[in-house]
Amino acid sequence: MNSPTLSPVPSMEDLKVKLQESSLVFPYKETPKKSIFLSNIDQILNYDIPTAHFFKANPDFPPEILKLNRESGRLEMDCNGAGAGFVVAKSDVSLEEIGENLVYPNLGYRQLAVQRLDNLPPEVDQPLCVFQITSFKCGGFAIGMSTNHILFDGLGAKLVYPTMTVRILAARSPPHVSFPHPEFLKLDLPVGPGSSPPVFECSVEKLDFKIFKLTTTQISQIKDNISKSSKIDKISTFAVVAALIWWCKAFSDDMEYNKDRVSTLLNVIDIRPRVNPQLPSSYSANAVLPLGVSETCEEIKNGPFSKLVEIIIEGAKEMTHEYVKSAFDWLEMNRGIPHGDYMVSSWLRLGFDEVEYAWGKPMYSCPVVNHRKDICWVFRDAVDGGVCAMVALPSQEMEKFEAVFHDFFASILVH
């Protein structure tokens, strides 16, 4: 099997971006003042997800044309009329200067998605959604979006505007919990009037960022190897990559090896097709739930890799309609947050690169590097169609993760 490819997040940290204007976009006429119901999964996703989308120069749509149209502003993101953020910026570099690194999440991309409007007075709340238009000197431009995850998930983000049908995922009355739900950690917090939802966040610390890449050939070779020792009908690419990430993370923590220690991977699952009736295609709020799969370190280390893939595939089948309803009911009765060693979130089917704008499809769309060391983002390699995993970990953990990643390709052939 060919050696895997490993790449640090490209080190072009300064795209020489200058912010030219930042403002709030308000509805062009007064909107009804009302509260929008947020489901129980929305309650724990209160953190920002920045993304960047790059476009070639288009003479019919120069970046300047995307400046705020104050006559018809249609970014109605909040029903209290507080508005959405809009930022205009300019970079002194060209897309050509970024070169081949363009198609990989870059540390410099953090300059393309402002998460806060610093010019707002302290009494004004920060918007839940900020759009940033950055023009490059070549005429190309990037649209950066920093949206609070409370608004929508990845599939919903393609629709931009959240629907008002979030009550579809409301808890039952009375709640009926029919599963134990170990994927959530129950917190000793009050529930009911006067209480507050828990914060699912991690501390900001110095992290190393690296991209772990697998080509289509390598993935096919792993699948062929698995099929020799497993009766899995359909081996998904995501299951293979998630199992490999799980394998690496289980032995990268800053603790001594304990064969009896249980490692838990959280798989983020789209529940749209799993509930009955299925959610409408226009549903753009959060429709994902974490599902935990666990195994002892001894089994992960010494057992066949195919077993981890099977656990992930079979585990996903547990996300039935009744499991979904039970999860929302559990979150209605308890204050809890996702609980596991590592979470894997897939961009493989989001299709941001297929969205047709008036000025064309994006050259590239990607998550922006951020401080979350507890989540790994998996997405397509724009060069060869393989798969990339963006990992952020403290330095010592990253060294172990990388070592296990390379050791895997020797050990997988043994099993």
Side-chain angles (χ1 to χ4, degrees):
M1 182 179 296
N2 295 332
S3 299
T5 304
L6 175 64
S7 172
V9 175
S11 58
M12 190 174 185
E13 297 189 33
D14 186 8
L15 299 183
K16 301 179 182 178
V17 173
K18 297 178 181 178
L19 301 184
Q20 298 178 310
E21 177 187 358
S22 63
S23 59
L24 286 173
V25 179
F26 298 99
Y28 76 98
K29 64 180 180 179
E30 185 175 355
T31 57
K33 301 296 190 295
K34 64 178 181 179
S35 297
I36 299 177
F37 173 84
L38 294 175
S39 74
N40 286 333
I41 193 62
D42 296 326
Q43 304 295 320
I44 57 178
L45 295 178
N46 187 14
Y47 56 90
D48 293 332
I49 297 291
T51 62
H53 311 266
F54 295 87
F55 301 87
K56 295 179 180 178
N58 186 322
D60 295 327
F61 291 91
E64 292 76 14
I65 207 171
L66 295 173
K67 285 186 177 180
L68 175 60
N69 184 336
R70 299 184 182 278
E71 296 296 323
S72 62
R74 294 186 57 194
L75 293 177
E76 301 176 357
M77 299 297 295
D78 196 333
C79 281
N80 66 4
F86 192 88
V87 177
V88 178
K90 188 174 183 178
S91 171
D92 290 335
V93 303
S94 66
L95 295 179
E96 289 74 16
E97 288 178 75
I98 301 176
E100 62 182 14
N101 287 334
L102 175 68
V103 295
Y104 298 112
N106 191 306
L107 290 175
Y109 294 174
R110 292 177 292 188
Q111 299 174 331
L112 303 178
V114 167
Q115 297 185 49
R116 293 179 58 85
L117 299 184
D118 292 333
N119 61 338
L120 295 182
E123 66 272 13
V124 177
D125 291 335
Q126 288 291 326
L128 292 176
C129 183
V130 180
F131 293 88
Q132 177 178 331
I133 307 299
T134 304
S135 59
F136 296 93
K137 68 179 183 181
C138 60
F141 59 96
I143 298 179
M145 294 172 52
S146 180
T147 54
N148 191 294
H149 208 326
I150 217 169
L151 290 174
F152 37 58
D153 57 20
L155 288 172
K158 288 196 298 182
L159 300 177
V160 180
Y161 302 102
T163 64
M164 302 302 130
T165 56
V166 187
R167 282 194 175 274
I168 293 175
L169 295 180
R172 293 173 289 197
S173 182
H176 176 65
V177 179
S178 49
F179 294 90
H181 298 291
E183 67 272 19
F184 295 113
L185 173 65
K186 183 178 179 180
L187 303 176
D188 186 19
L189 295 173
V191 178
S195 64
S196 299
V199 178
F200 178 46
E201 192 46 290
C202 59
S203 60
V204 178
E205 59 184 294
K206 183 175 177 58
L207 302 175
D208 284 352
F209 302 93
K210 290 191 177 181
I211 298 171
F212 295 82
K213 298 163 52 180
L214 292 173
T215 67
T216 54
T217 299
Q218 290 164 343
I219 293 171
S220 295
Q221 290 174 329
I222 295 174
K223 288 182 178 180
D224 289 342
N225 190 68
I226 292 173
S227 64
K228 297 175 182 178
S229 59
S230 174
K231 297 181 179 180
I232 304 175
D233 293 332
K234 184 178 181 181
I235 305 172
S236 71
T237 294
F238 172 77
V240 169
V241 176
L244 176 52
I245 296 300
W246 185 13
W247 178 299
C248 296
K249 187 63 175 67
F251 304 108
S252 66
D253 291 331
D254 189 18
M255 60 181 67
E256 292 185 4
Y257 173 72
N258 179 353
K259 65 183 182 65
D260 297 322
R261 181 172 67 87
V262 175
S263 175
T264 299
L265 181 81
L266 292 178
N267 179 7
V268 180
I269 296 179
D270 176 20
I271 63 173
R272 289 171 176 81
R274 296 173 183 265
V275 293
N276 184 22
Q278 294 186 6
L279 295 180
S281 58
S282 61
Y283 188 87
S284 63
N286 285 296
V288 292
L289 280 174
L291 188 87
V293 290
S294 301
E295 188 55 275
T296 65
C297 287
E298 182 179 31
E299 284 295 322
I300 294 175
K301 183 177 182 180
N302 299 321
F305 179 72
S306 59
K307 182 179 179 181
L308 297 185
V309 177
E310 288 181 15
I311 290 174
I312 292 173
I313 293 175
E314 293 301 314
K317 294 178 182 179
E318 296 179 10
M319 190 66 79
T320 62
H321 172 80
E322 179 55 33
Y323 195 95
V324 170
K325 301 302 288 186
S326 176
F328 279 92
D329 290 352
W330 189 97
L331 290 169
E332 182 76 10
M333 299 174 63
N334 304 281
R335 292 299 188 194
I337 58 175
H339 179 53
D341 296 303
Y342 209 39
M343 180 181 291
V344 178
S345 181
S346 175
W347 272 46
L348 295 178
R349 297 184 179 180
L350 295 189
F352 282 126
D353 57 337
E354 295 299 318
V355 176
E356 188 74 56
Y357 295 82
W359 48 87
K361 294 181 180 180
M363 298 170 59
Y364 182 59
S365 295
C366 67
V368 173
V369 171
N370 61 53
H371 70 284
R372 297 210 67 115
K373 67 176 183 179
D374 55 344
I375 304 176
C376 170
W377 279 272
V378 175
F379 50 95
R380 287 290 176 194
D381 187 323
V383 176
D384 62 13
V387 176
C388 293
M390 186 170 73
V391 177
L393 291 172
S395 181
Q396 289 186 341
E397 290 186 39
M398 183 65 82
E399 290 179 7
K400 294 179 181 179
F401 191 102
E402 181 179 344
V404 177
F405 180 77
H406 287 292
D407 289 345
F408 163 81
F409 287 90
S411 64
I412 186 67
L413 297 179
V414 175
H415 298 295

